[in-house]
Amino acid sequence: MSLIVDPVVAWFAQNARPLPWRDPHCSPWGVLVSEVMLQQTPVVRVEPRWREWMALWPTPADLAAAGTAEVLRAWDRLGYPRRALRLHQCARVVVDRHDGELPTAEADLLALPGVGTYTAAAVTAFAHGRRAVVVDTNVRRVLARALTGTALPAPSLTAAEMRAAGSVVPAGDLASTRWNAAVMELGALVCTARSPRCGVCPIADACAWRLAGMPADAHAHRRRRQTWAGTDRQVRGRVMALLRSADHPLPVHLLEEVSADAEQRERALAGLVRDGLVVRHEDPATDDAVSYRLPD
């Protein structure tokens, strides 16, 4: 595997982006915050929000002491706001169970709210500098092409992929951490999904996909194309934007602008209430009996 690992790590040493969570002085908590924010969200949107977030709440104790509405307002338009709630809950658990210090054991990380297999492995590698098998979308794509000659991996991560990824990760802590960061960066900047830059790829000559003639995506028929305009998710985002900008509960009629479809609007509101992102309030004594606000 050195034919792949060594060139990618050398490439990374010359081409890595100077992201703030890669700074050696970044705290483990800062790394965790970055990993949660980066889920399904590009770096260009995450970096400014991460800097603002860490300026407000540099430690788990700082975030744990914040109000939920304040946290959701700070999350702003980063998307998938349930991640903000999970981070808030995570901070409180770290304070209550770990004396405010992010745990180092993967089992303890996995027990934190909002931390799954990928995030626990990423924190183990990038925050604590220990060997872990870190597999995200970028890593899956690089390894699918380089090792198996597949244009893009299957829609869902398989056990075989995890075994293959684990076989490539170097044995030592330092070497494995460098590899994990390097292969993720290669997937983000060079081995991209739609327009791979094979001409500058450090492992182009060893890539099974290129050697096979760059066959088309065999799983294209299985992929769901995500839309945005007119979806419930877009309506949820509009509701959250209105509530973040309000300093008082908004009566339901002021939320009608989020969607002309009353059924969709009610569905979005009900989902936000169910997810703990919005609070529904009823006051029969007023003209506006039903109103909505961010949670305290």
Side-chain angles (χ1 to χ4, degrees):
M1 291 303 178
S2 61
L3 291 176
I4 294 176
V5 173
D6 292 345
V8 172
V9 171
W11 170 88
F12 181 69
Q14 298 297 320
N15 296 277
R17 290 169 291 181
L19 301 174
W21 45 85
R22 288 179 177 161
D23 188 298
H25 297 102
C26 181
S27 67
W29 175 249
V31 173
L32 173 61
V33 171
S34 75
E35 290 296 342
V36 173
M37 288 186 169
L38 286 165
Q39 294 167 9
Q40 304 182 65
T41 309
V43 166
V44 67
R45 293 185 60 204
V46 168
E47 184 172 356
R49 187 68 62 234
W50 182 90
R51 291 183 184 277
E52 294 170 6
W53 189 279
M54 293 305 295
L56 286 169
W57 305 301
T59 70
D62 295 319
L63 181 58
T68 304
E70 183 183 7
V71 169
L72 290 172
R73 288 191 173 95
W75 192 261
D76 198 30
R77 295 179 179 271
L78 199 55
Y80 302 99
R82 277 178 290 185
R83 292 180 295 168
L85 292 185
R86 298 297 175 267
L87 262 178
H88 197 202
Q89 295 164 358
C90 178
R92 290 175 171 171
V93 171
V94 170
V95 170
D96 292 343
R97 300 182 187 173
H98 302 283
D99 297 323
E101 297 293 331
L102 199 64
T104 57
E106 278 197 61
D108 289 335
L109 289 168
L110 284 167
L112 297 175
V115 175
T117 302
Y118 163 78
T119 302
V123 170
T124 297
F126 305 136
H128 301 310
R130 292 166 44 207
R131 187 184 187 277
V133 181
V134 183
V135 180
D136 72 346
T137 301
N138 290 316
V139 176
R140 293 184 67 208
R141 185 167 57 251
V142 171
L143 295 183
R145 289 172 176 168
L147 301 182
T148 69
T150 305
L152 293 171
S156 299
L157 179 65
T158 67
E161 282 183 272
M162 286 299 297
R163 288 193 296 271
S167 72
V168 179
V169 177
D173 287 339
L174 180 59
S176 65
T177 299
R178 287 175 174 169
W179 160 253
N180 282 321
V183 69
M184 289 177 68
E185 192 80 332
L186 186 71
L189 300 183
V190 175
C191 193
T192 57
R194 295 184 181 179
S195 303
R197 300 166 57 217
C198 299
V200 298
C201 179
I203 56 172
D205 291 342
C207 177
W209 183 54
R210 278 176 55 83
L211 294 174
M214 301 172 70
D217 177 16
H219 303 286
H221 63 288
R222 298 172 56 194
R223 302 190 194 282
R224 294 170 54 189
R225 297 186 178 275
Q226 293 185 337
T227 59
W228 171 251
T231 63
D232 285 5
R233 187 168 158 240
Q234 183 186 43
V235 174
R236 284 167 60 103
R238 289 173 173 171
V239 171
M240 291 300 296
L242 286 173
L243 294 181
R244 282 195 305 268
S245 64
D247 58 4
H248 55 80
L250 293 182
V252 68
H253 72 84
L254 292 182
L255 297 173
E256 292 178 356
E257 64 183 80
V258 301
S259 174
D261 184 336
E263 183 177 336
Q264 182 185 49
R265 186 169 61 249
E266 288 301 316
R267 188 166 61 245
L269 285 165
L272 289 168
V273 170
R274 186 169 57 250
D275 292 340
L277 292 163
V278 170
V279 173
R280 186 178 189 271
H281 178 68
E282 294 188 36
D283 186 357
T286 66
D287 292 335
D288 296 310
V290 177
S291 61
Y292 293 87
R293 60 175 175 81
L294 296 179
D296 296 330

